[in-house]
Amino acid sequence: MCDKKGVYNFNEIEKKWQDFWQENKTFKANDDSDKPKYYVLDMFPYPSGQGLHVGHPEGYTASDIVARYKRMKGFNVLHPIGWDAFGLPAEQYAIQTGTHPAETTKNNIDNMRKQIKSLGFSYDWDREINTTDPKYFKWTQWIFLKFFNSYFDEEQQKARPIDELVIPKGLSDQGKAEYIDDNRLAYEAEVAVNWCPELGTVLANEEVINGLSERGDHPVIRKPMRQWMLRITKYSERLLDGLDEVDWTDSIKKLQHDWIGKSTGAEVDFALDGFDEKIRVFTTRADTLFGATYMVMAPEHPLVDKITADSQKQAVEEYRRTASRKSDLDRTDLAKEKTGIATGAYAVNPVNGQKIPVWISDYVLISYGTGAIMAVPAHDDRDFEFANKFGLEIIQVVEPPSQQDKDAVAKGQLCFSGNGRAINSGKFNDLGTAEFKEKIASWLEENDLGKKAVNYKLRDWLFSRQRYWGEPFPLMHQKNGSIIPLTEDQLPLALPLVKDYKPAGSGEPPLSNAPDWVNVTLPDGSKAKRELNTMPQWAGSCWYYLRYIDPNNAEIFCDSEKEKYWMNVDLYIGGAEHAVLHLLYSRFWHKFLYDYGYVSTPEPFQKLINQGMILGTDGQKMSKSRGNVVNPDKVIADYGADSMRLYEMFMGPLEASKPWNMHGVEGVHRFLQRFWRVVIDEETGALSQSVQDVDADDETLRLLHKTIKKVGDDVENFGFNTAISAMMIFVNHLVKMQVKPKSAIEKFVLILAPFAPHIAEDIWQKLGCQTTLAYEPWPGYDPQFVKEAQFELAVQIKGKIKDKIVVDADATEEQIKEIALSSEKVIAAMGGKEPKKVIVIKSRLVNIVV
RNA sequence: GCGAGCGUGGCGGAACUGGCAGACGCGCUAGAUUUAGGUUCUAGUACCCUUAGUGGUGUGGAGGUUCGACUCCUCUCGCUCGCACCA
């Protein structure tokens, strides 16, 4: 084998073409082109020390096939890649070894870039970006400052400069400043965070598992800390509406829809017996007001202190202390029984003047609605459970439609939360649920007791992290507490060098270890301190797709003419794990930039595809501990990048999870090898003698055209596995032929090229073509050849196949019927009976009913 | 608990809009080439039965609609993934 000159030497071929593409900048996207544009984007990777795993190339291969296909279809294609390079692992490594995260990151990027290049993806490498590059994060900081300097105009439903905010009259200077700060889209707030005393740091929700830290299993508690927040909730409605405009799967849309969690209902004020204050509640079931038998406030509710009776003070205090120590996870653990304590205070039900007790319980969340509820135990499962536990009154006010439920609910044995007919509700009796809601809302409004209201589950975005390896906030704090943002010419604000990457024990972030950087003298001689928090990893990925459009612009994050040409992203491929957060955050930033006219489209990503997970050979998720991780470098070394790409696509549908199988790689490798041998003489490396300039026979021509159609259609629909299967069928046909028509092979090479570009380029060259095939037009097909000349007609009697007859494709229904009925086998099978009904499906089958 | 998705040979998977289930690949069996293994090539391969047929059964299970169901409807079982007290 080794002495033959012309064997399929994939290592050599792949290196040769990767070098060629790089030297010739084959895939450089042109900003100034008459061609229609196509922007195909991959979710950029975090450059980890582990390097690439086989999951990465799945999405990247799919997008690369589309990119290459679209180029051949005459599109000007933008297909970029970069690095989402801020993040915790490099920082942890720095804590352990003292290596600067920038160095670790650079090494990891160099390694992964090499790996990615070895797969032959058609990226425009001149547009490579890196979120940790100061030239990049300058603009992340710049966008943050825009948020800081903006407010949300409710009337226009859009962001506007903070200077244009109308400030209420009669405020003191301090009051004005506070009013402004309260309206900024980036604001500071004291919020409860996951604090891990053992690690001395704050953790993200995802890093807390069952109340313990993911790393090291240390206890995590809730602790209020000053944090930066982004007011994403102002965009709830627009983020919801925008989902109608994009071409995403229903399941992803639903995920985002539910995450935003819009619910419409009413706010109702309950007077407090003996106090001037009122308790305001939010409810979606104002029609059950007559059944409200008690109230519950969140333990953190500001009224609790005021209204608690002296006799309950101690118990209430203790309950609040316990609740505050619980993590969110503990609090939401359904397995736990409901807890709570009465405050000793009473509220008055506005519809009937009934005095009802006020309790506190941690099943009511301070962060949703008004932080207090009216409890209707007969018609709310949670209230039902609570009332039963503490012996509170249950009054039925809705009659269920089903007789069975009716009795159980009446006896107080069952809670019914569906719609029904109103009872025990005074003048509202007999109303249906929907109608009741309307009527009671108007009644509340007329009597100044409440109004219609909308609530969202979506919370403002906690945007600061107590970490080193992130974008510094471009802000300074003065002694008097006021905040001075940096000006645009002061950006980027780079990270300082520190000796110690650990957070200070007090919870001060690692940046406090760089006093020279932290302490600033302002032009007027006064002192200020820089913000010590950094931004979360999501920040850089919120807008990276815009930077690819204009990666080196020093004046603006993206030139608006170029933005208008390239946006929006036509196809976005990435993992489903980002279905909510990344995609929601970047849509939010995009809409914000849209408000200022920096981007021209309301949504960034038109079409979204989530590739499925690649599992280990054992069908389990790949992990180091299971020892089932497949190394892509090894696969490429053994079988080549083309085989790797082909196998990743051949495994199954792109969006499905599927297990890896090394024999499968061998299978597609054999396919490439077989094709190679069809065309190339293995002894000499020249074109095989059997490839000749002859006309293709009818069968070959039909198969070729059918294959061209099938592969093109499948690429358009992301059915890469079936496209490959069609190409295998074609090659199997070629193998059988003594003389192979060169013209057919030329066309076939072109459709293979997006999938296995190296071998295709090489064969293209051996066929005598001088230059790269990357911009050769995608071959067309002739519809007349796609149809078969004849087909095999299946003849069924009562749905069972009795005969198969070859029939001309242009036979009429009558002719087909006749042919079928005159078949000997059919006549025999009918046994002399007369056909009752004959169903003819053209070009498929005939079904005879007797 | 709620929501979404999925169940097809030994395995990964195909099957257009209700029209021949199992394309393509893996694996396996037999044969050819080879000193042998591997490679390559040829033939076969859903299951069951028998005298190998013009046979029976088959798309998680049970019903239904239809001339005809992997496909549509109802119920049910199993798996996977989200969400998880949002009033």
Side-chain angles (χ1 to χ4, degrees):
Chain A
M1 157 175 169
C2 303
D3 48 355
K4 291 181 188 172
K5 279 194 291 190
V7 295
Y8 173 39
N9 186 338
F10 48 86
N11 282 321
E12 198 180 285
I13 290 167
E14 290 173 1
K15 173 83 171 54
K16 169 181 158 191
W17 286 101
Q18 284 162 18
D19 290 348
F20 176 92
W21 296 327
Q22 179 153 333
E23 276 158 30
N24 292 282
K25 292 189 187 293
T26 304
F27 306 113
K28 191 168 175 52
N30 192 348
D31 289 330
D32 189 25
S33 165
D34 295 333
K35 292 181 186 174
K37 69 93 186 178
Y38 194 84
Y39 187 175
V40 49
L41 178 69
D42 288 303
M43 288 186 186
F44 63 164
Y46 172 75
S48 87
Q50 322 293 333
L52 227 53
H53 55 80
V54 291
H56 284 119
E58 191 191 12
Y60 298 167
T61 302
S63 64
D64 196 57
I65 290 167
V66 174
R68 288 175 179 272
Y69 169 78
K70 289 286 179 183
R71 279 189 205 100
M72 295 172 82
K73 281 290 224 180
F75 287 85
N76 182 28
V77 170
L78 176 56
H79 187 40
I81 191 75
W83 312 100
D84 189 13
F86 278 123
L88 200 55
E91 182 161 335
Q92 293 284 351
Y93 189 70
I95 291 171
Q96 285 159 20
T97 66
T99 317
H100 194 283
E103 198 186 320
T104 313
T105 303
K106 185 186 176 300
N107 291 339
N108 290 349
I109 288 177
D110 287 345
N111 177 46
M112 276 181 73
R113 188 192 294 111
K114 219 177 96 204
Q115 290 183 300
I116 286 180
K117 284 195 173 178
S118 76
L119 278 152
F121 297 133
S122 62
Y123 293 124
D124 178 353
W125 285 99
D126 290 347
R127 293 175 188 258
E128 180 180 351
I129 56 164
N130 173 348
T131 54
T132 66
D133 181 347
K135 290 203 284 291
Y136 179 91
F137 72 64
K138 168 181 179 175
W139 298 106
T140 312
Q141 291 172 329
W142 182 86
I143 296 170
F144 173 83
L145 285 178
K146 280 274 164 206
F147 276 110
F148 180 79
N149 288 317
S150 299
Y151 78 104
F152 193 80
D153 186 320
E154 297 285 352
E155 219 149 282
Q156 296 181 24
Q157 276 288 302
K158 62 178 269 196
R160 289 177 58 188
I162 196 84
D163 310 336
E164 294 171 15
L165 178 67
V166 180
I167 297 164
K169 294 218 162 46
L171 288 177
S172 66
D173 281 355
Q174 203 197 335
K176 276 182 199 164
E178 276 173 20
Y179 184 80
I180 290 170
D181 284 345
D182 284 349
N183 278 280
R184 293 181 190 278
L185 288 180
Y187 66 101
E188 277 187 297
E190 192 87 357
V191 292
V193 294
N194 302 304
W195 173 253
C196 178
E198 203 71 27
L199 296 174
T201 184
V202 155
L203 298 173
N205 281 332
E206 311 87 72
E207 296 166 313
V208 185
I209 294 160
N210 292 328
L212 298 174
S213 65
E214 191 184 17
R215 277 170 185 270
D217 285 338
H218 304 299
V220 175
I221 59 163
R222 302 291 287 172
K223 182 178 167 178
M225 285 181 78
R226 187 191 57 80
Q227 298 289 326
W228 280 96
M229 310 286 288
L230 290 187
R231 234 180 267 281
I232 188 172
T233 50
K234 292 286 181 193
Y235 284 78
S236 303
E237 200 63 37
R238 283 171 57 192
L239 288 169
L240 215 48
D241 290 345
L243 292 174
D244 295 337
E245 295 167 30
V246 292
D247 184 12
W248 300 6
T249 61
D250 287 343
S251 67
I252 297 283
K253 284 190 191 185
K254 188 168 186 314
L255 231 48
Q256 291 225 347
H257 183 272
D258 292 353
W259 189 266
I260 295 166
K262 180 180 184 175
S263 68
T264 36
E267 282 182 357
V268 186
D269 286 334
F270 281 64
L272 276 159
D273 190 38
F275 299 93
D276 293 336
E277 284 85 357
K278 289 171 176 166
I279 303 180
R280 176 165 293 182
V281 301
F282 172 73
T283 177
T284 55
R285 292 298 301 267
D287 63 298
T288 61
L289 254 170
F290 285 85
T293 55
Y294 64 101
M295 305 196 74
V296 188
M297 298 195 295
E300 302 87 347
H301 198 286
L303 275 178
V304 173
D305 268 337
K306 174 133 196 178
I307 64 167
T308 302
D310 288 343
S311 59
Q312 292 295 93
K313 274 240 147 57
Q314 212 184 332
V316 165
E317 255 326 294
E318 203 182 306
Y319 185 83
R320 295 179 83 183
R321 252 203 319 277
T322 319
S324 76
R325 275 204 295 270
K326 285 190 193 172
S327 72
D328 259 4
L329 258 147
D330 285 335
R331 280 186 63 163
T332 56
D333 190 349
L334 273 175
K336 293 228 166 61
E337 272 205 24
K338 289 203 169 27
T339 59
I341 191 136
T343 60
Y346 286 82
V348 181
N349 189 333
V351 291
N352 56 15
Q354 289 285 321
K355 266 174 66 173
I356 56 176
V358 180
W359 286 62
I360 62 171
S361 171
D362 61 11
Y363 85 86
V364 174
L365 307 173
I366 187 66
S367 48
Y368 183 78
T370 60
I373 61 156
M374 64 173 203
V376 186
H379 306 292
D380 181 286
D381 291 314
R382 297 149 299 181
D383 298 344
F384 186 72
E385 188 192 334
F386 192 83
N388 275 321
K389 173 155 182 190
F390 292 104
L392 294 156
E393 195 182 0
I394 299 173
I395 298 175
Q396 185 194 5
V397 292
V398 182
E399 194 175 68
S402 110
Q403 186 62 45
Q404 199 185 352
D405 292 350
K406 224 178 255 182
D407 301 338
V409 176
K411 285 182 200 147
Q413 290 163 345
L414 183 73
C415 169
F416 175 71
S417 55
N419 291 353
R421 188 180 69 92
I423 56 171
N424 297 330
S425 297
K427 62 175 181 173
F428 297 100
N429 275 343
D430 289 330
L431 288 177
T433 301
E435 201 185 344
F436 195 158
K437 281 184 188 172
E438 281 302 315
K439 292 243 160 88
I440 191 87
S442 322
W443 183 86
L444 287 166
E445 229 155 303
E446 279 158 28
N447 293 279
D448 208 17
L449 290 165
K451 58 172 197 290
K452 283 189 183 170
V454 175
N455 261 298
Y456 300 90
K457 275 201 250 182
L458 186 67
R459 308 291 151 84
D460 276 343
W461 177 9
L462 200 162
F463 194 66
S464 46
R465 298 292 131 96
Q466 294 68 47
R467 294 200 180 122
Y468 173 78
W469 194 228
E471 299 88 347
F473 283 86
L475 300 169
M476 295 175 292
H477 298 267
Q478 282 183 296
K479 279 246 167 60
N480 65 8
S482 65
I483 289 165
I484 303 176
L486 298 192
T487 53
E488 199 176 321
D489 60 298
Q490 291 170 310
L491 300 180
L493 172 61
L495 283 163
L497 288 172
V498 293
K499 283 217 169 61
D500 193 351
Y501 299 95
K502 273 198 217 104
S506 58
E508 288 280 84
L511 285 178
S512 64
N513 296 330
D516 291 349
W517 181 85
V518 172
N519 295 301
V520 192
T521 305
L522 298 173
D524 68 358
S526 67
K527 305 279 190 200
K529 281 181 185 296
R530 293 197 192 279
E531 170 65 43
L532 299 176
N533 287 308
T534 54
M535 299 184 199
Q537 196 181 357
W538 306 108
S541 60
C542 271
W543 68 282
Y544 74 111
Y545 56 92
L546 293 167
R547 190 60 175 172
Y548 285 136
I549 288 168
D550 198 6
N552 299 311
N553 198 327
E555 305 301 316
I556 176 105
F557 70 94
C558 174
D559 176 78
S560 84
E561 284 306 309
K562 291 180 185 169
E563 187 277 334
K564 279 197 189 78
Y565 175 68
W566 285 113
M567 282 301 280
N568 43 16
V569 174
D570 295 282
L571 176 64
Y572 194 20
I573 297 186
E577 66 273 22
H578 296 117
V580 176
L581 296 181
H582 160 63
L583 287 169
L584 195 66
Y585 293 154
S586 47
R587 290 180 62 220
F588 163 46
W589 279 42
H590 193 85
K591 288 187 180 300
F592 172 71
L593 294 171
Y594 179 75
D595 288 347
Y596 281 106
Y598 289 118
V599 296
S600 58
T601 64
E603 286 287 334
F605 313 121
Q606 189 54 43
K607 168 92 183 159
L608 173 74
I609 299 225
N610 294 118
Q611 87 260 17
M613 211 185 326
I614 292 186
L615 308 169
T617 47
D618 52 359
Q620 302 280 314
K621 209 168 158 171
M622 281 192 200
S623 74
K624 263 196 283 183
S625 58
R626 283 204 188 85
N628 60 355
V629 176
V630 176
N631 179 355
D633 290 345
K634 176 103 172 63
V635 179
I636 294 167
D638 291 351
Y639 299 99
D642 282 337
S643 294
M644 171 82 180
R645 294 168 56 113
L646 222 44
Y647 178 62
E648 294 246 358
M649 295 299 98
F650 187 61
M651 289 172 82
L654 182 60
E655 304 198 57
S657 300
K658 49 232 160 208
W660 187 270
N661 177 1
M662 217 40 103
H663 291 303
V665 188
E666 286 168 22
V668 294
H669 184 69
R670 277 203 279 269
F671 157 67
L672 290 179
Q673 205 145 35
R674 211 156 41 232
F675 179 53
W676 178 268
R677 281 197 305 264
V678 161
V679 189
I680 308 300
D681 185 330
E682 287 196 277
E683 300 295 335
T684 64
L687 211 58
S688 163
Q689 298 288 316
S690 62
V691 176
Q692 293 174 18
D693 266 318
V694 294
D695 285 341
D697 60 281
D698 191 62
E699 191 192 353
T700 305
L701 213 52
R702 286 185 192 279
L703 187 58
L704 174 68
H705 283 252
K706 258 169 70 174
T707 308
I708 292 171
K709 178 177 191 313
K710 172 86 177 143
V711 172
D713 289 353
D714 280 353
V715 171
E716 300 272 359
N717 295 310
F718 312 104
F720 305 111
N721 53 334
T722 46
I724 293 167
S725 150
M727 291 191 284
M728 286 174 167
I729 292 169
F730 185 73
V731 168
N732 288 346
H733 174 77
L734 284 182
V735 167
K736 290 189 195 118
M737 298 173 81
Q738 295 297 319
V739 175
K740 288 120 181 164
K742 195 175 168 201
S743 59
I745 288 171
E746 281 170 350
K747 285 189 174 166
F748 178 76
V749 169
L750 291 176
I751 60 169
L752 175 67
F755 295 80
H758 308 87
I759 192 174
E761 289 269 26
D762 217 61
I763 290 178
W764 186 247
Q765 196 179 49
K766 288 192 193 295
L767 285 165
C769 305
Q770 293 305 308
T771 183
T772 171
L773 49 62
Y775 294 92
E776 286 297 314
W778 183 260
Y781 62 87
D782 188 334
Q784 87 169 72
F785 290 125
V786 170
K787 280 192 298 190
E788 293 293 348
Q790 295 183 314
F791 69 94
E792 197 179 45
L793 178 77
V795 185
Q796 298 178 328
I797 293 176
K798 285 202 302 186
K800 306 242 177 203
I801 292 170
K802 293 295 169 190
D803 197 9
K804 293 187 177 186
I805 308 164
V806 175
V807 176
D808 281 350
D810 50 12
T812 64
E813 276 198 26
E814 267 314 306
Q815 286 167 331
I816 290 172
K817 191 169 164 181
E818 226 164 277
I819 293 165
L821 287 171
S822 56
S823 148
E824 277 173 34
K825 287 177 184 173
V826 170
I827 291 165
M830 284 201 298
K833 285 181 215 152
E834 277 301 300
K836 205 158 102 189
K837 196 172 168 189
V838 179
I839 293 139
V840 178
I841 305 299
K842 237 190 146 201
S843 75
R844 266 177 228 279
L845 58 70
V846 171
N847 192 7
I848 301 164
V849 189
V850 287

